[in-house]
Amino acid sequence: MFERGSADEIRQWRGSLASLPRPADTAATIDRITELEKLKSAACAEQARLSAELEAMTRQERAEAGVRKEKQTAGVAAQVALARRESPHKGGRLLGLAKALTNEMPHTLAALQAGVLNEWRATLVVRETACLTLEDRQTVDREIGGDLKRLATMGDHRLVAAVKQLAYRLDAESVARRSRKAESERAVTIRPAPDTMTYVTALLPVAQGVGVYAALKRAADSARNEGDPRNRGQVMADTLVECVTGSPARQPVPVDLSLVMTDRSLLSGDDEPALLLGYGTIPADTARQLVAAAADAGLAWLRRLYTSPRAGDLIAMDSRARRFPAGLGRLITVRDGGRCRTPWCDAPIRHLDHPVRHADGGDTSALNGQGLCEACNQAKEALGWRARPRPGPRHTVETTTPTGHRYRSQAPPLPGASRPGLTRLELYLTDLVLAV
Ligand SMILES: [Zn+2]
């Protein structure tokens, strides 16, 4: 038998789910789906309690070891993230949720435990009360989190509205202050979309956001009235590009790109896809169009990257310097696909890191180098974290957390990975006139 509550016992429950007999009829099928949903919520409630306990235990251990107060909980959110297979950013959010629920909002936690709220809706309640005093927050917790009957039928939107309404009634000034603070966080971000498209997202104060959307919609309506054959979405998107770049949407825009592709994809029409750094995989044909456009303008640089995944002249490149020289840094960034090497973290690379620290005798080489985002680089510096390169089919780093759990990350396969003998090329396309 297992120890009560051990990971082994929970693993056994999970295993038994897969071997349940099939439900007898459609009603029993629905019942099972509902119960499993509640089970997920109850598991989230338990994860919240455990995450908060992990932080409290870590703080106590480190306080006893004489660690300074501000360093006592460093890296805990990153451990939660790894354990839950999420990015460190999400790990931080989940740990914040866990602490708010366990320390300040017992009714909301109980609603999650009972399967009346799911984890996302519990997050919404916590998020919308973050600006309130503890006392006001507990009033919201009692009145909304404690009303299971009402909660059970609320969707995301109605739940947020109810919490906001009560929060505003309790403390209008804090809510207003928070909205002023939120305004300071306005930003524009970009992320890849399927089919070689991208989402450019602007986070704006509500009046400006609504204003931008209304102006684009007005432009689309008037273009359509004048017989423009483009649909509304197309006109809105083109108008946005025109207003921001100052040139017509279909006119080329100068950009710098870095592209990795195989020689055969470039020269012989092979269909092995290419990697566009900062974006992701693109079809070979699109890559060839980019290169042809750049080459026509005399703006393409090309160099052989390396010829096999494990060996090659560039892999052996190392340096006595503590910092990564530009060429080596470039190689590591390309090898890591431009994205942070921590498992489940997809953030862009911001730091070149020595898995074995320079101070501990780690050299500056591609083997002892990895690209990390800002948050992962900081987490790794926290007490009790170690990392080292390990043998593997591609560049592999093993990170050990303070609890002794080990996580391996492998560099992504680059174009041509499954086909030995292909030469990989990295192309720098600068000031490329991009008309896709
Ligand atoms: Zn990261």
Side-chain angles (χ1 to χ4, degrees):
M1 269 320 279
F2 304 119
E3 193 185 322
R4 288 280 296 137
S6 68
D8 283 333
E9 187 187 3
I10 293 170
R11 198 172 297 125
Q12 197 185 40
W13 298 348
R14 185 164 53 81
S16 69
L17 271 182
S19 53
L20 291 176
R22 304 322 300 153
D25 54 24
T26 50
T29 305
I30 292 290
D31 286 344
R32 195 181 294 182
I33 291 173
T34 304
E35 276 314 313
L36 287 169
E37 194 59 34
K38 291 183 179 176
L39 181 61
K40 284 198 282 183
S41 296
C44 290
E46 179 62 4
Q47 283 179 320
R49 283 187 288 262
L50 291 167
S51 304
E53 282 164 22
L54 175 74
E55 195 191 73
M57 286 189 283
T58 307
R59 182 187 286 115
Q60 196 184 343
E61 275 172 22
R62 291 185 183 168
E64 283 164 11
V67 176
R68 281 208 320 272
K69 195 158 187 224
E70 62 273 21
K71 294 258 181 194
Q72 284 170 4
T73 58
V76 174
Q79 283 176 268
V80 171
L82 285 168
R84 291 197 56 177
R85 307 182 173 202
E86 295 285 3
S87 71
H89 176 76
K90 182 132 189 236
R93 211 177 74 201
L94 290 167
L95 181 60
L97 171 75
K99 289 191 289 181
L101 289 176
T102 47
N103 302 332
E104 300 179 0
M105 309 187 80
H107 294 282
T108 309
L109 179 61
L112 181 63
Q113 173 69 44
V116 175
L117 281 179
N118 60 25
E119 190 174 47
W120 174 241
R121 291 193 185 130
T123 306
L124 294 176
V125 177
V126 168
R127 188 184 77 188
E128 295 302 328
T129 54
C131 62
L132 298 180
T133 60
L134 177 59
E135 196 190 343
D136 287 343
R137 192 176 220 186
Q138 286 176 331
T139 305
V140 176
D141 179 52
R142 208 171 36 247
E143 289 195 19
I144 294 181
D147 189 348
L148 296 187
K149 212 167 157 200
R150 183 169 166 225
L151 269 184
T153 57
M154 275 180 161
D156 296 356
H157 193 81
R158 276 179 55 211
L159 179 62
V160 168
V163 175
K164 268 189 170 152
Q165 210 172 34
L166 181 53
Y168 198 74
R169 215 174 65 215
L170 290 167
D171 187 356
E173 175 49 30
S174 289
V175 175
R177 210 167 39 236
R178 177 172 152 180
S179 93
R180 283 195 295 276
K181 180 175 177 292
E183 273 186 28
S184 74
E185 285 160 6
R186 59 194 183 276
V188 176
T189 51
I190 184 163
R191 67 193 161 92
D195 303 326
T196 334
M197 300 287 279
T198 39
Y199 296 108
V200 175
T201 309
L203 179 66
L204 298 172
V206 63
Q208 292 177 4
V210 171
V212 168
Y213 190 80
L216 292 173
K217 204 158 151 279
R218 208 161 44 235
D221 287 341
S222 74
R224 306 253 302 153
N225 284 342
E226 285 160 24
D228 194 312
R230 293 172 295 171
N231 69 28
R232 172 178 285 178
Q234 290 166 344
V235 180
M236 287 171 76
D238 292 349
T239 308
L240 178 72
V241 172
E242 283 162 21
C243 293
V244 175
T245 63
S247 41
R250 274 169 252 179
Q251 191 172 313
V253 182
V255 287
D256 291 354
L257 299 175
S258 182
L259 196 63
V260 181
M261 63 193 301
T262 66
D263 53 349
R264 267 192 252 164
S265 287
L266 178 63
L267 306 168
S268 323
D270 195 85
D271 56 9
E272 178 85 34
L275 175 71
L276 180 58
L277 250 62
Y279 174 81
T281 301
I282 59 171
D285 224 22
T286 309
R288 278 191 291 271
Q289 282 170 29
L290 289 175
V291 177
D296 278 353
L299 294 167
W301 276 258
L302 183 140
R303 74 171 183 188
R304 192 168 68 118
L305 195 57
Y306 45 89
T307 51
S308 82
R310 295 299 312 281
D313 45 346
L314 280 169
I315 283 285
M317 188 168 153
D318 59 9
S319 158
R320 254 172 246 156
R322 183 179 182 147
R323 292 177 66 83
F324 289 92
L328 178 57
R330 186 81 215 141
L331 173 81
I332 293 170
T333 305
V334 171
R335 180 200 65 201
D336 294 349
R339 305 230 169 238
C340 177
R341 278 292 293 277
T342 304
W344 309 294
C345 179
D346 291 330
I349 291 176
R350 292 271 176 264
H351 291 276
L352 294 169
D353 171 71
H354 297 82
V356 178
R357 294 178 187 102
H358 200 259
D360 297 337
D363 60 351
T364 299
S365 64
L367 181 65
N368 191 40
Q370 62 174 344
L372 290 182
C373 74
E374 187 108 39
C376 292
N377 195 46
Q378 274 174 14
K380 189 180 159 281
E381 293 309 312
L383 205 68
W385 287 66
R386 269 176 302 135
R388 55 180 174 161
R390 303 288 291 160
R394 292 189 299 278
H395 184 259
T396 303
V397 174
E398 184 180 82
T399 301
T400 309
T401 64
T403 48
H405 288 86
R406 291 171 189 196
Y407 299 90
R408 278 187 181 218
S409 100
Q410 204 174 59
L414 285 177
S418 55
R419 299 164 59 191
L422 294 191
T423 300
R424 265 173 234 142
L425 308 166
E426 183 185 11
L427 299 107
Y428 298 101
L429 315 176
T430 59
D431 278 332
L432 174 63
V433 179
L434 187 61
V436 188

